[in-house]
Amino acid sequence: MSDKNQKNRLMENDRVYESAIASMRDGLKSGLSFSEACSIMDVTDPELRRFIEDDALKIVIAEMHYGKGTALKELSRMLRLPYAVVYEANIEMLEDAGLSAAEIYKHENFDNAVGNA
């Protein structure tokens, strides 16, 4: 795939992602369950759809649990998802955040070590 084609595909995926997340948010605001809100997303690629659904749940957890203090059990009830699904997504999100933080830490410390050598 040429660089231009790859860039166009990434830009299209970004557009689809942003649109799908916005659609999901609107669905949740109107009272849909998480599954119902995901079902109205206009995403045809199954792999991209799974990624967006996974990411959307983590976004909701971050906003509602960490941002607004909603308990995970209450969030599970609000989204009409099994508690185990919400709990597991929360654990994955924390693991992802830890890995990202570790990468940033390594790069910052490597840059400082090289600059001080």
Side-chain angles (χ1 to χ4, degrees):
M1 181 182 294
S2 74
D3 286 344
K4 185 175 182 175
N5 287 343
Q6 187 173 5
K7 182 178 178 182
N8 287 340
R9 181 179 166 149
L10 289 173
M11 288 174 56
E12 177 62 17
N13 283 349
D14 284 347
R15 185 196 64 74
V16 169
Y17 176 91
E18 294 299 329
S19 175
I21 295 292
S23 173
M24 183 272 313
R25 286 178 188 273
D26 290 343
L28 289 175
K29 285 180 187 173
S30 70
L32 297 179
S33 70
F34 183 79
S35 297
E36 292 166 336
C38 287
S39 73
I40 63 173
M41 294 189 297
D42 186 24
V43 181
T44 56
D45 179 315
E47 186 176 332
L48 183 58
R49 175 177 274 283
R50 279 190 299 280
F51 173 79
I52 293 171
E53 289 175 357
D54 183 61
D55 215 34
L57 181 54
K58 291 174 184 175
I59 289 168
V60 171
I61 291 169
E63 291 173 349
M64 297 299 294
H65 180 62
Y66 294 101
K68 295 185 178 178
T70 305
L72 289 178
K73 285 192 178 189
E74 174 63 13
L75 188 55
S76 168
R77 188 194 64 71
M78 290 168 53
L79 297 173
R80 290 179 255 160
L81 286 172
Y83 175 73
V85 170
V86 174
Y87 179 82
E88 187 62 34
N90 181 56
I91 295 298
E92 288 176 12
M93 182 181 63
L94 293 174
E95 289 170 351
D96 292 346
L99 292 172
S100 294
E103 282 300 312
I104 291 169
Y105 178 80
K106 281 194 278 187
H107 288 293
E108 286 177 353
N109 285 307
F110 177 77
D111 291 344
N112 288 337
V114 170
N116 293 328

